[in-house]
Amino acid sequence: MPSSVVTGAQWGDEGKGKIIDILSESSDYIIRYQGGNNAGHTVVIDGESFILHLIPSGILHKGKTCIIGNGVVVNPVALIDEIEKLNARGIKAGKNLLISEQAHIIFPYHWKMDELREIAKGRSKIGTTKRGIGPCYTDKVSRCGIRMADLLDVNIFSRKLKANLKEKNAILRNVYGFKGYSLATLSRQYMGYRKKIKGYIKDTTVIINKALDDKKRVLFEGAQGALLDVDFGTYPYVTSSNSTAGGACIGTGVGPSRIGKVIGVVKAYTTRVGEGPFPTEFSDKLMNIVRTKGKEFGATTGRPRRCGWFDALIVKHAVMVSGITEIVVTKLDVLDDLEKIKVCTGYTYRGKSFKTFPTNIEKLFKVKPQYEEWPGWMSDTSGVRSFNKLPRNAVGYLKRLSDLVGAKISMVSVGSERKQTLKL
Ligand code: IMP
């Protein structure tokens, strides 16, 4: 079947942008299925860096159709900024970019609510990106959201915005003491955005299904990772969408029988941004070494990422809930200088050991990781161009990860450039 899903198998930031860029070469359609501009996909081409928040990384290749699916929540300001920045760098985002008419639109009251809720939560905050993602999905599920199709009809748009503002302003003023937003100002702003994006808005579900009927090669691009999935992640320290592979069906309007491969992307170690449990998190010294070498700072917010050892339990969980058929291991080179490398193969909780990821968040906060220790390879892998040329200890480490998580490895990445990718 000519369709594949690329999904994160940890807490996001696994390096999906680069892998999608590589797989885009042999794809006709690249479709983002969930999340919003909370994501930041970095792609480096000949030393030039591109950070994409909403537009699929396939846009960097000529002749591809890129789609923002119905499962994505779209901030028009961020989208227009991204389109204009790409165009300014000579990358066309015109007829090759489509946005689902069913995608929900983010408004300033969403990101304000996100920010104020986080402040009100104090120490129990989630550590969101404050991009209004959660509040926008909340409106979608509450059936009061405003969609791209609404933007095309000025009367419907005004009616819905007025009704939303009545409720949102009351909450903002009475619960959070914030002054709220003016209908006239927001209407004017969004009518301005409408002019710039209306040409992109289409019934993308029909287009995607037709592409599959015509045997086109379709790549579904996930954002965030399985452990941030609103159902299967470390709830409530998650994002507000289904970032597991199943989200590709719901977020594009394609049935499960049309999905072929599911490619899970993992780092050779683990990172997460924001609050929440992280059993294998490093102590300060290793944290600084890996964070610096791996440039572990958020592509969207610039926040330093928390770093830790590879946790086979969380990836095994991701393999199960996303039905991952193969994994891609990224950033192997970041571990090049470490004498010893640990892998978490189980947890201990109240004297008992177990090998599966617990759904109980309180338990996850308290578990003690059980580690296996592997000798490092102590040599530079960033220049290696084939799997067979990797140091013996690196191959041993990768094989062990594959065995532990129950999925074969199809690619290994040893740097941010396209050429630093070893295909198996
Ligand atoms: P939200 O998606 O902004 O609501 O944030 C919820 C949680 O998901 C926070 O812990 C964020 O740091 C995390 N998160 C959201 N998007 C990303 C991402 O693209 N990479 C890594 N973490 C993310």
Side-chain angles (χ1 to χ4, degrees):
M1 186 142 353
S3 78
S4 311
V5 178
V6 174
T7 184
Q10 290 160 321
W11 275 289
D13 305 319
E14 297 92 351
K16 295 180 291 298
K18 170 180 166 171
I19 303 309
I20 291 156
D21 170 59
I22 287 169
L23 296 174
S24 293
E25 213 161 357
S26 52
S27 306
D28 302 303
Y29 286 72
I30 301 98
I31 308 163
R32 174 80 183 269
Y33 62 82
Q34 43 71 232
N37 63 322
N38 48 350
H41 290 167
T42 308
V43 182
V44 182
I45 304 167
D46 298 330
E48 215 189 323
S49 177
F50 296 84
I51 300 178
L52 297 157
H53 300 284
L54 280 164
I55 301 178
S57 323
I59 202 80
L60 304 173
H61 294 261
K62 284 204 180 100
K64 312 290 173 185
T65 303
C66 291
I67 299 181
I68 297 177
N70 57 280
V72 179
V73 287
V74 183
N75 177 338
V77 187
L79 177 66
I80 293 164
D81 182 60
E82 212 162 298
I83 292 172
E84 287 176 351
K85 281 194 176 131
L86 283 171
N87 286 343
R89 291 171 81 174
I91 290 151
K92 196 171 133 251
K95 283 208 170 74
N96 52 339
L97 177 66
L98 309 173
I99 306 166
S100 165
E101 40 184 43
Q102 286 150 310
H104 280 248
I105 304 173
I106 298 183
F107 287 86
Y109 49 79
H110 289 132
W111 63 76
K112 191 42 107 179
M113 202 90 94
D114 196 357
E115 179 195 324
L116 295 172
R117 268 193 198 146
E118 282 284 271
I119 295 170
K121 280 198 174 104
R123 284 168 53 127
S124 57
K125 70 176 182 184
I126 292 163
T128 73
T129 59
K130 298 186 184 144
R131 299 297 192 267
I133 307 299
C136 186
Y137 278 116
T138 304
D139 281 359
K140 171 176 176 169
V141 178
S142 299
R143 292 154 297 174
C144 66
I146 304 178
R147 310 200 288 185
M148 285 293 166
D150 300 323
L151 197 57
L152 298 180
D153 186 317
V154 179
N155 290 330
I156 293 178
F157 179 81
S158 303
R159 183 164 46 79
K160 291 195 172 179
L161 184 59
K162 190 174 174 192
N164 266 287
L165 269 185
K166 196 170 160 210
E167 187 205 31
K168 305 308 189 240
N169 278 345
I171 298 173
L172 286 168
R173 284 182 196 132
N174 298 325
V175 179
Y176 299 106
F178 178 77
K179 63 183 186 331
Y181 293 93
S182 131
L183 176 62
T185 310
L186 279 196
S187 297
R188 203 171 45 249
Q189 283 170 349
Y190 277 71
M191 284 304 114
Y193 307 146
R194 175 183 187 271
K195 261 194 216 138
K196 295 192 173 173
I197 62 174
K198 69 175 183 199
Y200 297 102
I201 305 170
K202 300 277 181 264
D203 181 351
T204 55
T205 301
V206 168
I207 295 169
I208 300 166
N209 278 284
K210 165 94 173 46
L212 287 165
D213 290 344
D214 293 345
K215 305 274 179 288
K216 299 283 183 208
R217 298 158 304 171
V218 176
L219 187 65
F220 296 97
E221 167 174 337
Q224 290 88 42
L227 276 296
L228 288 172
D229 183 283
V230 68
D231 285 286
F232 302 108
T234 46
Y235 190 89
Y237 301 98
V238 291
T239 191
S240 300
S241 61
N242 286 111
S243 45
T244 40
C249 292
I250 301 299
T252 64
V254 156
S257 58
R258 312 205 80 171
I259 304 288
K261 284 197 281 191
V262 179
I263 303 161
V265 185
V266 295
K267 262 180 203 167
Y269 49 99
T270 314
T271 64
R272 89 171 287 177
V273 207
E275 309 305 312
F278 185 172
T280 63
E281 190 164 11
F282 290 139
S283 57
D284 286 354
K285 191 172 161 218
L286 257 177
M287 180 80 79
N288 287 333
I289 294 172
V290 173
R291 186 182 280 155
T292 308
K293 175 125 197 229
K295 301 192 184 72
E296 295 295 356
F297 297 89
T300 299
T301 58
R303 289 181 291 177
R305 295 182 186 136
R306 298 158 67 192
C307 307
W309 296 119
F310 188 90
D311 185 338
L313 271 68
I314 68 162
V315 178
K316 207 162 76 174
H317 172 73
V319 167
M320 176 179 72
V321 294
S322 275
I324 288 170
T325 51
E326 57 192 77
I327 54 170
V328 174
V329 181
T330 63
K331 294 193 146 185
L332 183 73
D333 56 303
V334 174
L335 305 181
D336 282 352
D337 307 323
L338 302 183
E339 261 175 61
K340 292 200 166 79
I341 299 173
K342 290 186 187 179
V343 183
C344 171
T345 57
Y347 297 144
T348 311
Y349 179 69
R350 291 194 176 153
K352 281 197 186 137
S353 74
F354 52 101
K355 301 275 178 205
T356 52
F357 172 77
T359 50
N360 178 333
I361 191 87
E362 295 311 320
K363 198 165 161 186
L364 195 60
F365 265 117
K366 292 180 192 141
V367 294
K368 292 238 167 343
Q370 297 166 341
Y371 288 116
E372 233 175 54
E373 201 169 79
W374 283 78
W377 41 95
M378 305 295 288
S379 67
D380 181 7
T381 58
S382 66
V384 176
R385 294 291 172 264
S386 88
F387 188 75
N388 302 336
K389 298 270 163 59
L390 281 173
R392 210 158 52 104
N393 288 353
V395 172
Y397 177 68
L398 290 168
K399 286 196 168 145
R400 183 63 182 141
L401 300 193
S402 168
D403 285 348
L404 283 168
V405 306
K408 64 174 192 221
I409 297 176
S410 60
M411 259 192 262
V412 177
S413 167
V414 291
S416 51
E417 288 280 353
R418 281 176 178 167
K419 60 180 184 235
Q420 292 173 301
T421 315
L422 325 177
K423 293 182 187 163
L424 269 81

